[in-house]
Amino acid sequence: MQSSARAWRGYGTALAACFLIPWAGAAYAASTTTTFAVQATITATCTINSASTLNFGTVGVLAGNTDQTSTIQVTCTNTTPYNIGLEVGTGSGATVAVRKLTSGGATVNYSLYTDAGRATLWGNTVGTDTQAGTGNGAAQNYTVYGRIPAQTTPAPGNYADTITVTVTY
């Protein structure tokens, strides 16, 4: 019996060691925590994502209106008010009301509008003839409505102009 008790004592010590050894390492582990701030400052900003070509295509005699459209895409920070303006272009003598496509010394008159009815000219004077908007943080599209009105047809050629888009915010 004594050898049996001695055996159980040996097993008991071994069994106790099995339970205590894994916790022995945990007794020496310690941890600490802290926090840190994360921040960003968003400033009122606008970007012009794209401005597609307004292509009137191939036309012959300019006996009636030739209408086409293009798109300007703008992204502004949420709640940022802005105005999109269109300069008069590079054609000599151009105005907001009568812009000029040119080919050499020849010109074709055209106009740009903010509305599909082509009643409101699109210029570059804030509060007068620009397109106003308020940013929502996502891309917003604006259609440019172009029209070549009936006029004396100049010589055949490739007529072009360049319009500068300005976003004021």
Side-chain angles (χ1 to χ4, degrees):
M1 189 68 116
Q2 215 172 0
S3 66
S4 177
R6 206 179 268 156
W8 277 109
R9 247 185 275 155
Y11 289 126
T13 304
L15 188 59
C18 287
F19 285 109
L20 294 177
I21 288 175
W23 293 18
Y28 296 109
S31 64
T32 184
T33 62
T34 190
T35 61
F36 63 92
V38 178
Q39 62 187 33
T41 301
I42 305 294
T43 60
T45 306
C46 290
T47 59
I48 301 169
N49 301 332
S50 63
S52 66
T53 299
L54 194 156
N55 186 349
F56 286 107
T58 302
V59 294
V61 174
L62 301 174
N65 292 334
T66 302
D67 294 341
Q68 283 298 332
T69 62
S70 68
T71 302
I72 298 169
Q73 187 179 77
V74 175
T75 301
C76 292
T77 49
N78 194 23
T79 72
T80 300
Y82 61 89
N83 283 274
I84 303 170
L86 304 181
E87 297 287 343
V88 297
T90 57
S92 179
T95 66
V96 168
V98 181
R99 290 176 161 95
K100 309 278 185 180
L101 294 167
T102 60
S103 177
T107 63
V108 173
N109 297 332
Y110 74 101
S111 298
L112 301 176
Y113 302 89
T114 60
D115 63 307
R118 291 169 173 80
T120 305
L121 290 167
W122 196 333
N124 201 39
T125 304
V126 174
T128 301
D129 57 8
T130 57
Q131 182 72 48
T134 301
N136 64 7
Q140 295 175 293
N141 291 321
Y142 290 88
T143 302
V144 179
Y145 298 91
R147 171 172 284 167
I148 295 175
Q151 58 194 283
T152 302
T153 306
N158 292 318
Y159 290 77
D161 192 12
T162 301
I163 300 295
T164 299
V165 180
T166 302
V167 175
T168 304
Y169 57 96

